[in-house]
């Protein structure tokens, strides 16, 4: 008889945390050749925080999806929860105003979505903001409502500053692919 773990299984959370730790190790190895002293924190301001000699702060939110076809759409709960955490962290002073934000996800961004415009290549913060503003003002998602409220509470300069600070790294290696990446690093 097959055992059903049910909706309360901790397996996806444990896998996500394991992914977060392994991805952090990979990113730390990539940064070592830069010659600066790196400080790494896990589960402090966000999933992962990198500080360089106490100044630059890079904040990473990792999202591991077991479903290989997961997507990061304009109304994705992953996107809006992450934005809310970052906006509220800067508003209450726990996250520095000059922090750089990285959303690391195994999901893919469909063409033309806000997240697409926040990738390293083909960036267009104004188009991303148009998409985010439209979604926040028209979506009726209860799940995303706190994120929409946080986003719409920002004035235009603050929204633009946020968009300039956010980098979406979609299609990131899954947990099964990290071993090869770690060996290479």
């Amino acid at each position: 008889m097959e055992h059903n773990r049910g909706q309360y299984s901790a397996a996806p959370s444990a896998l996500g945390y394991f992914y977060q730790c392994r991805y952090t190790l990979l990113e730390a190895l990539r940064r070592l050749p830069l010659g600066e002293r790196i400080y790494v924190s896990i589960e402090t301001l966000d999933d992962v925080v990198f500080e360089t000699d106490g100044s630059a702060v890079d904040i990473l939110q990792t999202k591991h999806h077991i479903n290989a076809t997961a997507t990061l759409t304009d109304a994705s709960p992953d996107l809006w929860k992450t934005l809310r955490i970052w906006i509220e962290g800067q508003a209450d002073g726990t996250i520095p105003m000059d922090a750089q934000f990285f959303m690391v996800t195994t999901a893919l961004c469909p063409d033309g979505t806000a997240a697409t415009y926040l990738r390293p290549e083909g960036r267009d913060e104004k188009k991303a903001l148009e998409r985010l503003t439209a979604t926040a003002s028209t979506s009726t998602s209860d799940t995303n409502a706190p994120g929409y409220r946080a986003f719409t509470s920002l004035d235009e300069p603050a929204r633009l500053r946020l968009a300039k600070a956010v980098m979406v790294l979609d299609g990131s290696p899954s947990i099964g692919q990290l071993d090869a990446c770690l060996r290479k690093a």
Side-chain angles (χ1 to χ4, degrees):
M1 181 167 157
E2 185 177 314
H3 178 66
N4 183 350
R5 293 186 180 156
Q7 65 180 352
Y8 302 110
S9 172
S13 294
L15 186 62
Y17 185 73
F18 187 59
Y19 177 77
Q20 176 181 305
C21 293
R22 303 219 9 125
Y23 190 89
T24 301
L25 176 60
L26 175 62
E27 189 60 27
L29 289 171
R30 288 177 176 163
R31 292 170 184 238
L32 279 176
L34 299 177
E36 295 177 323
R37 192 175 299 208
I38 300 170
Y39 300 93
V40 181
S41 304
I42 296 178
E43 293 294 336
T44 55
L45 301 178
D46 206 340
D47 287 351
V48 181
V49 177
F50 285 95
E51 288 186 66
T52 309
D53 286 327
S55 58
V57 177
D58 291 346
I59 297 176
L60 284 69
Q61 175 69 229
T62 59
K63 300 290 183 188
H64 184 268
H65 294 273
I66 297 170
N67 178 354
T69 59
T71 57
L72 191 63
T73 64
D74 289 345
S76 168
D78 281 351
L79 175 64
W80 287 100
K81 180 180 178 188
T82 299
L83 290 175
R84 178 185 57 82
I85 290 167
W86 293 340
I87 292 166
E88 290 175 355
Q90 287 190 320
D92 70 17
T94 57
I95 296 177
M97 293 305 287
D98 62 347
Q100 295 296 302
F101 301 109
F102 297 86
M103 184 171 191
V104 180
T105 180
T106 56
L108 296 174
C109 303
D111 288 342
T113 60
T116 300
Y117 297 122
L118 296 174
R119 287 174 171 157
E121 68 287 337
R123 282 187 69 81
D124 190 332
E125 290 96 0
K126 288 185 181 182
K127 283 186 181 177
L129 286 175
E130 288 172 12
R131 302 287 308 184
L132 292 171
T133 301
T135 302
S137 63
T138 61
S139 175
T140 58
S141 167
D142 289 335
T143 302
N144 295 345
Y148 299 153
R149 282 192 299 275
F151 180 78
T152 57
S153 74
L154 299 175
D155 61 19
E156 286 301 315
R159 288 183 193 181
L160 186 56
R161 185 176 60 245
L162 175 69
K164 288 183 179 296
V166 172
M167 185 77 61
V168 174
L169 305 175
D170 68 320
S172 292
S174 69
I175 196 157
Q177 299 165 324
L178 280 179
D179 280 346
C181 296
L182 284 165
R183 277 192 289 280
K184 185 177 178 182

